[in-house]
Amino acid sequence: MRDLQARAEDLSADLASGQWKPNRFDRRALLQLTGAEDPVIDREAILTMFDELYKEHGPRQLNKMTSQLTTLLMNTAAAQDLPSIAALPEAQEALGAVRSLVQSAA
């Protein structure tokens, strides 16, 4: 979870400094994840987002997304596979960092 949080914070810092600018493929994904008001992005929402983008735009959509963002989102979904671990305060903090990045980047 520390690694997940560090990667979310690093990507947020890159966004703030202008070193990373979400491309149009990233924005499609980010916009689909900004709808819910929950403190964390639900695992199912992430998987549904990837599935819908693939169905609508094909593999090019996923291949053109920033690799750091794709990996971060997939790891966020995987981190929620075990609800007992995802409920820990450290996990909630890491998942909250991902939510913050998605909201600021969208």
Side-chain angles (χ1 to χ4, degrees):
M1 288 300 173
R2 281 185 240 136
D3 184 48
L4 181 67
Q5 183 172 356
R7 282 185 282 141
E9 290 171 352
D10 288 346
L11 201 52
S12 291
D14 288 348
L15 177 67
S17 69
Q19 291 180 349
W20 174 60
K21 294 180 180 156
N23 62 38
R24 67 185 173 123
F25 301 99
D26 295 337
R27 283 198 178 96
R28 281 183 189 147
L30 294 167
L31 287 174
Q32 285 195 356
L33 296 174
T34 57
E37 297 285 330
D38 298 331
V40 300
I41 301 171
D42 184 59
R43 175 186 185 278
E44 291 303 316
I46 295 170
L47 298 178
T48 300
M49 177 271 306
F50 278 118
D51 188 44
E52 287 177 5
L53 289 176
Y54 183 81
K55 286 178 183 175
E56 292 172 15
H57 303 284
R60 184 171 186 257
Q61 164 66 38
L62 304 179
N63 291 336
K64 295 289 184 174
M65 286 176 61
T66 304
S67 61
Q68 294 93 332
L69 178 62
T70 303
T71 303
L72 181 69
L73 293 174
M74 290 304 292
N75 287 341
T76 300
Q80 297 178 60
D81 280 345
L82 297 172
S84 60
I85 293 174
L88 296 173
E90 301 87 21
Q92 290 297 306
E93 189 175 339
L95 296 170
V98 174
R99 163 59 85 190
S100 177
L101 167 68
V102 168
Q103 289 176 332
S104 62

